[in-house]
Amino acid sequence: MEQQLEELSKKANGELSSCEDAQALEAWRVAYIGRSGAVSELLRGIKDLSDEDKRVIGKNGNALRRELEERYQEKLHVLEKASSGRGVQATSYDLEAGVGHLHPLTLTMSRVHEIFASLGFIIADGPEVEEAKFNFDLLNIPAEHPARGEGDTFMVDPLSVNGAEGLVLRTQTSPMQIRSVEAMRLHPPFSVIAPGRVFRKEKVDATHESTFYQFEGLSVSETTSIADFKFIIETFFSTFFNAEVTIRLRPSYFPFVEPGFEVDMSCPFCKTGCKVCKYSKWIEVMGAGMVHPNVLKNMNIDPEKYQGFAFGGAIDRLAMIQYGINDIRLFWSGDVRFLRQFS
Ligand code: DAH
């Protein structure tokens, strides 16, 4: 019987390598590791053996079944990758047979946590339903600012569209600057990072989602400067992309920082221009700036004595750059052909 097991193993492995599509693979699964497949049949036969043989053959038979199941999963993965690459419709899915794994956004977010934690940042979490006061007013965004309108913001309490009393789905993680200082009673020097989900009334397309993830950073001390910001952010992107990355700052305006800038990183994938950087060698990655004195005051921090930088970028965007994903909608699609590539 041991010999039979060996032969079965050889035959199954041989046939598996010649399965070229999902249908052939499914037929193989049924023939070998299905409920009435060859391995189960063989194991059913051990009841007539001696106790010792039962033990040995049972053990080896089960080991073979496990091995074949693993091979099956590997092959399934390979075939799916090949077919999704060519845009071919897969025929059927046995969801129960899949092994669970983390979502690409979760993987990216954990990496962001890990790197900033190693740079001395505290990780903070805060509410998705946010007071307009935190989302706008305390960040120096005045009542008449267009971003506060119903056109951009999901109102939870529509009666108070422009009032500080209102409730909104947060449009950015920036309110966490003030919340985390308040909640954790932070006193400078400190550095904090707050990743989380944000919501905007966007027209959804390949690069815009109404729900996505951002990470917000804030670092304050008596001496914090733009040079510190540059060092921290270059270290972050170089570690994240495992490449030597430099950043450049372009002047920009955000009400809660002064000066404010858009941050570009040098393309981590090329030196001369490629598809990812649209042949420009630079990729826009976040907004940032030196915290506005009014915002420091709103944190109960004396702007005469302390200064700091703040930044905010999108986790989805990082994941798209890293994994070469060209459509943001895939993240929420629940399409297993997409998701399984991250197992
Ligand atoms: N909150 C901004 C946005 O969602 C991003 C941002 C810009 C965050 C500048 C910052 C900053 O902290 O300083 O577009």
Side-chain angles (χ1 to χ4, degrees):
M1 214 159 168
E2 217 152 344
Q3 201 183 344
Q4 261 175 302
L5 265 177
E6 231 165 80
E7 274 164 20
L8 188 58
S9 164
K10 254 194 221 147
K11 193 158 167 256
N13 277 305
E15 280 182 27
L16 182 65
S17 52
S18 53
C19 285
E20 304 241 305
D21 56 32
Q23 252 170 334
L25 181 63
E26 179 59 13
W28 180 91
R29 187 189 68 77
V30 173
Y32 288 101
I33 49 178
R35 213 174 286 161
S36 358
V39 177
S40 302
E41 278 304 305
L42 199 116
L43 285 175
R44 244 168 246 141
I46 68 176
K47 60 180 185 307
D48 307 323
L49 299 177
S50 71
D51 280 354
E52 175 58 13
D53 285 352
K54 248 187 218 159
R55 203 179 57 77
V56 175
I57 302 290
K59 194 167 142 221
N60 294 346
N62 281 320
L64 175 63
R65 192 207 306 270
R66 271 197 303 277
E67 180 201 320
L68 294 180
E69 274 165 1
E70 265 172 40
R71 293 270 143 80
Y72 165 77
Q73 287 298 338
E74 284 164 13
K75 185 81 182 188
L76 187 65
H77 196 66
V78 170
L79 289 179
E80 275 173 13
K81 248 191 175 160
S83 76
S84 64
R86 278 187 249 115
V88 171
Q89 286 286 313
T91 43
S92 69
Y93 286 102
D94 182 353
L95 289 174
E96 278 170 6
V99 176
H101 59 82
L102 296 176
H103 189 279
L105 288 176
T106 311
L107 292 171
T108 307
M109 193 136 47
S110 315
R111 191 91 180 101
V112 172
H113 281 173
E114 198 183 330
I115 300 171
F116 277 108
S118 77
L119 291 168
F121 281 68
I122 307 165
I123 297 165
D125 191 19
E128 293 174 350
V129 175
E130 182 58 281
E131 294 171 45
K133 185 173 83 175
F134 283 97
N135 199 83
F136 301 120
D137 299 270
L138 296 174
L139 287 168
N140 210 28
I141 304 175
E144 65 284 358
H145 195 281
R148 298 184 65 142
E150 277 188 281
D152 292 305
T153 306
F154 289 108
M155 304 291 170
V156 176
D157 176 0
L159 289 178
S160 47
V161 172
N162 287 329
E165 314 298 301
L167 278 183
V168 300
L169 292 187
R170 67 175 172 193
T171 59
Q172 49 183 355
T173 42
S174 302
M176 283 306 292
Q177 292 183 25
I178 293 161
R179 271 204 181 274
S180 51
V181 172
E182 223 180 74
M184 295 192 269
R185 294 167 202 241
L186 298 175
H187 288 291
F190 64 82
S191 300
V192 57
I193 185 98
R197 195 153 50 161
V198 301
F199 309 86
R200 288 186 196 169
K201 278 195 191 164
E202 293 275 5
K203 193 163 170 293
V204 175
D205 62 24
T207 51
H208 298 91
E209 253 295 358
S210 55
T211 302
F212 58 100
Y213 287 84
Q214 285 190 331
F215 59 106
E216 187 79 18
L218 172 70
S219 185
V220 182
S221 79
E222 285 185 38
T223 57
T224 302
S225 68
I226 297 179
D228 295 319
F229 170 73
K230 191 163 185 288
F231 171 76
I232 290 286
I233 295 304
E234 274 179 355
T235 307
F236 168 71
F237 283 117
S238 298
T239 313
F240 186 90
F241 288 105
N242 197 19
E244 196 134 325
V245 166
T246 54
I247 61 163
R248 72 175 183 191
L249 309 178
R250 283 180 289 115
S252 185
Y253 174 72
F254 300 96
F256 32 92
V257 283
E258 182 56 38
F261 18 81
E262 296 285 349
V263 182
D264 297 337
M265 69 166 176
S266 60
C267 182
F269 305 112
C270 76
K271 292 251 173 313
T272 51
C274 68
K275 239 168 120 178
V276 181
C277 62
K278 303 205 183 78
Y279 302 95
S280 74
K281 296 184 243 169
W282 294 97
I283 303 176
E284 196 179 312
V285 277
M286 55 165 68
M290 295 302 287
V291 184
H292 195 289
N294 289 349
V295 177
L296 284 172
K297 275 188 217 149
N298 292 338
M299 296 168 182
N300 278 327
I301 293 176
D302 180 0
E304 299 294 329
K305 188 160 180 215
Y306 298 104
Q307 52 191 30
F309 60 74
F311 57 88
I315 303 252
D316 304 53
R317 187 150 160 74
L318 285 189
M320 288 172 81
I321 299 169
Q322 189 193 11
Y323 297 119
I325 297 163
N326 56 14
D327 194 327
I328 195 171
R329 291 168 291 194
L330 285 165
F331 289 129
W332 293 95
S333 65
D335 187 332
V336 287
R337 290 169 302 181
F338 169 68
L339 295 171
R340 283 223 179 113
Q341 297 177 70
F342 301 92
S343 63

